[in-house]
Amino acid sequence: MEFLQQNWYWAALAAVSGGLLVVDLLRNRSGGDMLSPLDATLKINREDALVVDVRTQDDFMGGHIVGARHIPLAELEKRAPELEKLQPRPVILCCQSGSRSANAVAILRKAGIGQVFNLRGGVMEWERAGLPLARGRK
């Protein structure tokens, strides 16, 4: 106890950093299996993963991952059978920042799609990693 009183700042630093780790862990679990842009490219190249962009048409045309299929989030539940036909290919969902695609993960899992992943940080993180984007229609 005396150690903590004399070194309270170290204890506070440890508590804050531990709290941040817990928050990050919970955030990553809430959106399903999260993939970094690097992990996503490996899954695309090694397992022929399908990328599905759930943003609006305007956002998609402004820049999307090369080869991505565009299915807006509002249409995803109705169009899930299109993705069922492509099983057992993994499906990587993306949006601008990763939050809409977290909802999309839940929709596809409910529809019975097996391997569903969320691109952590979305297209913004993809672009920040220096990976290419296509502009306009696919």
Side-chain angles (χ1 to χ4, degrees):
M1 188 67 157
E2 184 178 328
F3 176 80
L4 289 177
Q5 289 175 340
Q6 291 176 352
N7 298 293
W8 64 270
Y9 43 88
W10 292 115
L13 180 64
V16 168
S17 64
L20 290 173
L21 287 172
V22 169
V23 166
D24 188 49
L25 177 67
L26 291 174
R27 189 179 72 197
N28 286 343
R29 286 192 178 182
S30 67
D33 291 322
M34 302 283 271
L35 295 177
S36 69
L38 175 63
D39 292 333
T41 57
L42 290 173
K43 196 160 281 296
I44 291 165
N45 292 331
R46 293 181 179 168
E47 299 178 42
D48 194 28
L50 171 68
V51 177
V52 176
D53 193 317
V54 297
R55 298 177 298 158
T56 65
Q57 181 71 23
D58 289 341
D59 288 341
F60 181 78
M61 291 188 47
H64 56 272
I65 296 171
V66 176
R69 181 177 289 198
H70 181 236
I71 303 177
L73 183 60
E75 299 175 17
L76 189 61
E77 192 169 357
K78 178 179 71 177
R79 293 179 61 186
E82 293 175 30
L83 302 175
E84 280 182 291
K85 294 175 186 173
L86 301 172
Q87 291 294 294
R89 282 176 72 185
V91 177
I92 301 170
L93 295 155
C94 70
C95 64
Q96 193 64 28
S97 65
S99 58
R100 277 182 283 184
S101 52
N103 293 335
V105 167
I107 290 169
L108 291 185
R109 287 215 172 123
K110 184 179 174 188
I113 307 292
Q115 294 186 69
V116 183
F117 302 91
N118 187 6
L119 179 62
R120 185 183 68 226
V123 173
M124 289 185 340
E125 188 69 27
W126 183 271
E127 193 169 25
R128 228 178 282 137
L131 296 167
L133 292 178
R135 309 274 182 213
R137 287 200 173 271
K138 182 181 163 191

